[in-house]
Amino acid sequence: YHLEILKEKYGLEYTYATYKENTYNAIISKPIVERKKDNKIYQIWYKMIKQESYTKFPYTDITVCKDWHDYFVFEDWYKNNVYTIPGEKVVLKKDLLVFDNNEYSPEMCVFAPYKIIGALRTKYNSKSIKEYVDNDDGHLISDIGISYQPNRESGLHYVAYCQYNGKNTYLGRADNPQELVPFYKAVKEYEIRRIADEYKDYIPDVLYDRMINFVFNPEDYIV
C-alpha cells in the first residue's frame, strides 16, 4: 500500500535489488517505463547502483552510500552540484578527490570535464597490464605512465609518457624505470596545477584545491 502511494505521487515503480554479499535488500525507485529514457539523472544513478548491486558487474569493489540508494536523495545532490563548462561535458567521478576511492557518496564524488579526468588519472584500464620489478619488495605498476617497451636501437627498456598541455607527451627512456619517476612526477604535478588554474572559474573549490595541492606519490602504486 505504501509503495502504491509513492508510485502515484512520484510516477515511479519500485523493485527489489539484492546487493552483493546479500547483506540486505533495498528498494530501488525506478521511473516508470515511459520516463526512463528521458531521465538523464536516473540513468546515471541506476548505472551507479548496478555497479554495487550486481556481482556479475566487473566493478566488484564499488559501493554506494546508503543515502544514495534513494534516487530522490541522489537527484537533489546532483542538481545542487552539477555545473556546465561551455563546449565541454562534465561527468560524475568517484575517485578524483581521493586516490583509488571506491565509494560513491556526496563527500567523495565530484563532477569534472574529461580534460581534468585525464590529467588526474594515474591508473588506466588495460587488457595487458605489465609490471616491472622496482625493488626486492614489490612491483611498480607501469600504468602510471611508465611502461615496459624495449627499444632495439637504444637498448633502453622503459619509456615514460605524461599528459602535457593537453597532449600525451613523450618524456624519455631509461634502462631502469625508477630513473623516469622524478621527471614524470614533476611534469604530472605541473600539468595538473596548470589545468586547475585554467578551469578555476568553473570547477568547485574542492576539486580546485585537490588539483592545486596534488602530489604524485609512487608509493601508492607499489603492490
Side-chain angles (χ1 to χ4, degrees):
Y1 175 73
H2 179 62
L3 296 185
E4 290 301 318
I5 294 176
L6 292 177
K7 178 179 177 180
E8 181 178 350
K9 179 178 179 180
Y10 294 106
L12 302 179
E13 62 185 4
Y14 288 78
T15 61
Y16 281 91
T18 302
Y19 286 78
K20 62 182 179 180
E21 299 178 356
N22 295 318
T23 53
Y24 59 91
N25 286 333
I27 296 175
I28 296 181
S29 54
K30 298 176 63 177
I32 55 178
V33 175
E34 300 90 81
R35 295 178 55 186
K36 284 183 180 180
K37 293 183 179 180
D38 300 327
N39 192 330
K40 175 183 177 181
I41 302 176
Y42 165 77
Q43 296 295 339
I44 294 173
W45 172 82
Y46 191 58
K47 289 179 181 178
M48 176 182 70
I49 291 293
K50 282 179 64 177
Q51 291 183 42
E52 178 189 64
S53 61
Y54 298 145
T55 55
K56 67 180 180 180
F57 209 83
Y59 306 108
T60 55
D61 295 330
I62 288 178
T63 60
V64 180
C65 72
K66 288 189 176 182
D67 285 345
W68 278 8
H69 289 160
D70 185 329
Y71 166 73
F72 299 108
V73 174
F74 175 78
E75 181 184 53
D76 288 342
W77 180 89
Y78 183 104
K79 291 179 178 179
N80 289 327
N81 288 274
V82 72
Y83 58 91
T84 59
I85 299 177
E88 297 190 55
K89 180 181 179 180
V90 298
V91 297
L92 181 67
K93 301 297 291 184
K94 68 184 183 325
D95 52 7
L96 296 185
L97 299 181
V98 176
F99 172 79
D100 215 19
N101 171 64
N102 285 325
E103 180 188 52
Y104 283 98
S105 70
E107 296 77 22
M108 296 291 110
C109 289
V110 67
F111 290 94
Y114 285 113
K115 190 172 183 179
I116 288 179
I117 296 170
L120 282 173
R121 180 182 296 159
T122 45
K123 297 179 77 174
Y124 296 84
N125 294 326
S126 173
K127 293 182 179 179
S128 58
I129 296 178
K130 297 178 180 178
E131 299 178 349
Y132 62 78
V133 177
D134 178 57
N135 51 50
D136 293 336
D137 299 323
H139 299 260
L140 186 59
I141 299 176
S142 64
D143 287 358
I144 63 172
I146 302 170
S147 59
Y148 179 76
Q149 295 180 16
N151 185 285
R152 293 181 180 179
E153 295 181 2
S154 67
L156 302 178
H157 290 73
Y158 298 92
V159 62
Y161 285 88
C162 187
Q163 180 170 306
Y164 181 73
N165 285 333
K167 297 181 179 180
N168 194 32
T169 302
Y170 170 76
L171 301 183
R173 283 187 172 274
D175 186 51
N176 181 353
Q178 191 63 35
E179 297 176 9
L180 298 168
V181 172
F183 188 34
Y184 177 88
K185 171 181 170 67
V187 174
K188 185 85 173 174
E189 293 176 355
Y190 168 83
E191 176 69 358
I192 288 176
R193 289 167 186 159
R194 184 191 68 79
I195 294 175
D197 285 330
E198 179 183 340
Y199 283 85
K200 184 177 181 180
D201 293 337
Y202 298 102
I203 61 178
D205 290 342
V206 65
L207 180 56
Y208 176 80
D209 290 343
R210 160 65 170 161
M211 297 177 70
I212 210 68
N213 296 301
F214 177 84
V215 175
F216 174 74
N217 296 310
E219 293 80 8
D220 290 337
Y221 304 90
I222 300 296
V223 296

